[in-house]
Amino acid sequence: MKKYSILIFLLVLIFTANAQTINPSDFKELSREKYIDKCKGAWLGQMIGVTYGDKYEFRSNGIPILDSLDEWSSEALERAFAQDDLYVEMTFLESIEKHGINISFEQAGKAFADSKYPLWHANKAGRENVRKGIMPPLSGHPRFNPHADDIDFQIESDLFGIITPGLFKEMQQIAEVFGSIMNYGDGLYAGYFIAGMYSASFFIEDNVEEVVQIGLSCIPPESTYRKCIEDVITSYHQHPDDWLETWKYIEHKWQDDIDCLPGNLVNIDAKINGAYVVIGLLYGKGDLKKTLEISTRCGQDADCNPSSAAGILCCMKGFSALEPLWKEHLPKVSDNKFIFTNYSWNTLIDASVRVAEQIILKAGGTIENDIYKIPVQTPTPPPTLEQWVNKKEIFKPPVLTEEIAKWNSLWKVKSCMKSEEVGVFQNKFNRDNVLILIPPEEGVPALIEYFSEIPTNAKQLSIETCSPLNKPFLLRLRVDYFLVYEQTVNDTQWVKLPVNIEKWAGSQHVITIEIFSMEQKNNIAVCLGNITFQ
């Protein structure tokens, strides 16, 4: 009898322990109606953002867009159906529907390898790796993928937050499966960050900074990606009404030439573009138009970044709260299919709901009377991946920092073709200490930058230059990215170009000098001698 009493007592203890874990306070409630409303907002926000910025994609690199932007109209949504920002993540959704929410690394990789659409950078390298038999997570590892820190997974990770409302653990699990196909380290963390902000947005409606902080909690504190975003937040608090100050700070501290395109101003590094997403969100202060404009003006991947920012903000707001301007044309295109997928707007929402409900149940949640009871999950960083330590050895800039310091330590080269003809030379064209630059490609300038205090009594900046090949070039000078001087040069002999900078003397500013070829073929070399404040 005692044995049975002990057994019953143990069973009661076990039942009591289990009962304590099923506590109403351990769950959050979200109605199916509200989930659908925010899901629709998330997808439409991406469509709005990518069509708002698509004409500016990589049109302004290393320099913010300060000219007026074109007005956006709802008819632009027609362009969204051919955007890789959207159709790539939809092929992820299709593969989840086919293989289930417990899809394996290999199943996800092979599904991606079967895709027929054109790809670039990390996506392209990852797909080619899988086709060669290098499966994820190795397909995204820098050992096999020189684009491991690129933006690719960042722009495709929205889906994984949309289908995991408040479920950060599930978000990381499924995002790792797909993100490892093409990215690693910071490139993978970028996706966790973006998806984490979406996951949080289903329960937060008006506190953008809280959403950003929750996204940061999903990635390791020691990662360079997180440190970069934390710098955005710090600068935002210091300059809450001047996004350009934060842009300049991030550009100077985090923008480097250690990427897959050394010497070119184009930078698809995940953290830089992730910073632009956050600049748009914070300085937009909950206003969709401002968020779109600022994230676009930051430049670089200027369609992907507003797409991510607007997707997150519209998820927070919900579809029903968006002004008619943003969605009035949607009914006319809602049955159009996104290219390379079987989804239209209407079927995309249904598919998202189906998968989200499966994940909610898998996580221990319930669905009763159209109410999701979602277990509370605290966002936590995943295990830290090893850093890409030899990156600087692989991606060497055209002119090394120590080399340009011999010419003028106050300036740095931000854009230039890699060539034996480029660099700092002695005894060239009757001068010692000559910097020779060649624009990296047609239409893209060679560019050098000064970011420091301009001497108090300076009245002008004197630039010595010449065109040794007798090819005309255009020299433009900007202060704080505003154009203040331009001059065509076609002299084989040295000339001095005086630029009045008196109004900026005595304070810190960014000065950029751009050199454009005036001919269709990019066949110029430009010499720069002394650049001095006088």
Side-chain angles (χ1 to χ4, degrees):
M1 186 66 181
K2 287 183 178 179
K3 290 181 180 178
Y4 289 113
S5 298
I6 293 171
L7 179 61
I8 292 171
F9 177 70
L10 290 174
L11 288 173
V12 169
L13 282 179
I14 293 170
F15 177 80
T16 304
N18 287 338
Q20 288 175 347
T21 61
I22 306 174
N23 191 311
S25 64
D26 292 339
F27 291 84
K28 290 182 178 180
E29 290 191 355
L30 180 68
S31 70
R32 179 183 272 119
E33 180 183 10
K34 190 166 186 178
Y35 172 79
I36 292 173
D37 188 54
K38 283 178 170 274
C39 175
K40 290 168 68 176
W43 284 113
L44 181 61
Q46 291 181 74
M47 295 169 68
I48 293 169
V50 73
T51 54
Y52 188 95
D54 56 359
K55 64 184 67 177
Y56 305 103
E57 181 184 21
F58 295 115
R59 296 285 296 273
S60 185
N61 308 307
I63 293 177
I65 302 170
L66 300 177
D67 297 330
S68 59
L69 301 178
D70 292 343
E71 286 292 322
W72 186 90
S73 67
S74 189
E75 286 78 9
L77 291 175
E78 295 184 6
R79 301 200 303 272
F81 295 88
Q83 297 284 353
D84 62 342
D85 306 56
L86 291 156
Y87 63 69
V88 173
E89 60 185 297
M90 290 179 200
T91 60
F92 297 162
L93 180 59
E94 284 185 311
S95 60
I96 294 171
E97 289 215 276
K98 178 180 178 180
H99 296 286
I101 58 175
N102 293 313
I103 186 171
S104 69
F105 283 86
E106 186 167 341
Q107 287 171 326
K110 287 182 175 179
F112 190 59
D114 289 339
S115 63
K116 302 295 190 293
Y117 38 69
L119 291 172
W120 299 267
H121 297 280
N123 277 334
K124 182 179 180 181
R127 183 171 68 178
E128 289 177 350
N129 281 337
V130 176
R131 288 175 175 176
K132 290 186 293 188
I134 304 170
M135 292 295 165
L138 289 178
S139 58
H141 193 281
R143 178 182 174 189
F144 300 100
N145 194 326
H147 307 272
D149 284 344
D150 285 356
I151 195 179
D152 302 54
F153 186 53
Q154 177 166 288
I155 71 174
E156 301 151 2
S157 60
D158 313 65
L159 166 69
F160 305 106
I162 293 171
I163 60 177
T164 57
L167 296 170
F168 304 101
K169 179 181 176 183
E170 273 64 36
M171 176 276 289
Q172 287 174 333
Q173 287 178 346
I174 196 164
E176 181 185 15
V177 170
F178 286 89
S180 297
I181 299 172
M182 69 290 294
N183 284 105
Y184 190 83
D186 272 358
L188 189 58
Y189 300 149
Y192 295 165
F193 173 60
I194 295 293
M197 287 193 284
Y198 276 98
S199 292
S201 295
F202 285 93
F203 295 95
I204 299 172
E205 297 184 358
D206 57 6
N207 191 331
V208 173
E209 187 171 349
E210 183 181 3
V211 167
V212 173
Q213 292 285 7
I214 290 174
L216 277 183
S217 298
C218 297
I219 62 178
E222 63 271 25
S223 65
T224 54
Y225 190 100
R226 180 162 169 175
K227 290 175 181 176
C228 178
I229 303 302
E230 287 174 340
D231 278 347
V232 173
I233 298 169
T234 299
S235 183
Y236 167 68
H237 288 156
Q238 294 171 346
H239 310 282
D241 299 311
D242 191 346
W243 69 267
L244 191 54
E245 279 300 314
T246 294
W247 188 96
K248 286 190 289 188
Y249 172 62
I250 296 301
E251 178 75 8
H252 183 66
K253 181 172 180 179
W254 290 103
Q255 175 77 279
D256 55 38
D257 203 21
I258 308 171
D259 64 0
C260 59
L261 295 169
N264 197 312
L265 284 169
V266 170
N267 194 339
I268 55 172
D269 174 73
K271 64 180 176 295
I272 286 293
N273 288 280
Y276 298 162
V277 172
V278 177
I279 289 173
L281 282 169
L282 294 179
Y283 284 94
K285 301 181 189 298
D287 181 277
L288 179 54
K289 187 175 182 181
K290 283 182 66 177
T291 299
L292 288 163
E293 179 180 343
I294 292 170
S295 54
T296 300
R297 287 188 178 281
C298 287
Q300 295 291 357
D301 206 340
D303 60 341
C304 297
N305 299 331
S307 180
S308 297
I312 292 161
L313 183 60
C314 291
C315 186
M316 293 176 65
K317 290 177 175 292
F319 181 86
S320 59
L322 299 179
E323 297 176 0
L325 161 69
W326 305 109
K327 52 190 178 183
E328 59 189 6
H329 193 69
L330 186 60
K332 297 180 181 179
V333 296
S334 59
D335 288 323
N336 292 3
K337 284 189 176 180
F338 292 87
I339 64 171
F340 303 109
T341 82
N342 293 311
Y343 294 124
S344 66
W345 164 263
N346 291 325
T347 61
L348 171 65
I349 304 304
D350 293 339
S352 301
V353 174
R354 284 194 299 270
V355 173
E357 291 184 349
Q358 292 175 47
I359 293 175
I360 290 169
L361 294 174
K362 175 196 171 188
T366 62
I367 304 172
E368 299 175 6
N369 300 320
D370 286 334
I371 298 295
Y372 300 154
K373 290 189 176 180
I374 299 173
V376 173
Q377 292 185 352
T378 302
T380 55
T384 304
L385 300 170
E386 72 270 21
Q387 293 296 299
W388 190 353
V389 294
N390 65 335
K391 194 173 180 181
K392 291 185 179 181
E393 299 174 12
I394 298 173
F395 302 119
K396 291 184 179 179
V399 186
L400 299 177
T401 303
E402 54 269 26
E403 186 178 359
I404 191 146
K406 298 175 185 176
W407 173 72
N408 191 322
S409 61
L410 298 176
W411 293 78
K412 70 176 183 177
V413 176
K414 296 192 66 176
S415 174
C416 182
M417 178 186 289
K418 291 196 79 169
S419 167
E420 293 182 356
E421 300 173 17
V422 161
V424 178
F425 298 90
Q426 305 301 323
N427 301 316
K428 279 279 188 178
F429 309 107
N430 302 316
R431 290 288 171 91
D432 285 333
N433 215 28
V434 175
L435 174 63
I436 299 181
L437 303 175
I438 301 174
E441 60 182 90
E442 186 176 336
V444 179
L447 186 146
I448 62 173
E449 179 186 86
Y450 170 96
F451 185 38
S452 189
E453 183 172 315
I454 297 175
T456 303
N457 297 320
K459 291 184 170 47
Q460 65 180 25
L461 183 68
S462 175
I463 306 168
E464 292 185 336
T465 185
C466 71
S467 175
L469 299 179
N470 197 25
K471 301 286 185 179
F473 66 88
L474 177 67
L475 185 146
R476 285 179 176 163
L477 186 141
R478 299 175 186 267
V479 177
D480 294 334
Y481 305 105
F482 289 95
L483 182 64
V484 299
Y485 176 87
E486 64 179 8
Q487 177 67 46
T488 301
V489 179
N490 190 20
D491 294 86
T492 57
Q493 302 299 315
W494 289 94
V495 295
K496 285 186 178 181
L497 304 178
V499 183
N500 189 321
I501 46 87
E502 189 173 5
K503 64 184 288 188
W504 297 286
S507 55
Q508 180 174 283
H509 295 278
V510 180
I511 301 176
T512 56
I513 296 176
E514 305 168 351
I515 295 165
F516 291 88
S517 173
M518 297 288 288
E519 298 183 348
Q520 286 188 339
K521 292 183 178 180
N522 183 35
N523 58 354
I524 67 165
V526 173
C527 293
L528 292 172
N530 293 325
I531 298 182
T532 55
F533 293 104
Q534 298 178 350

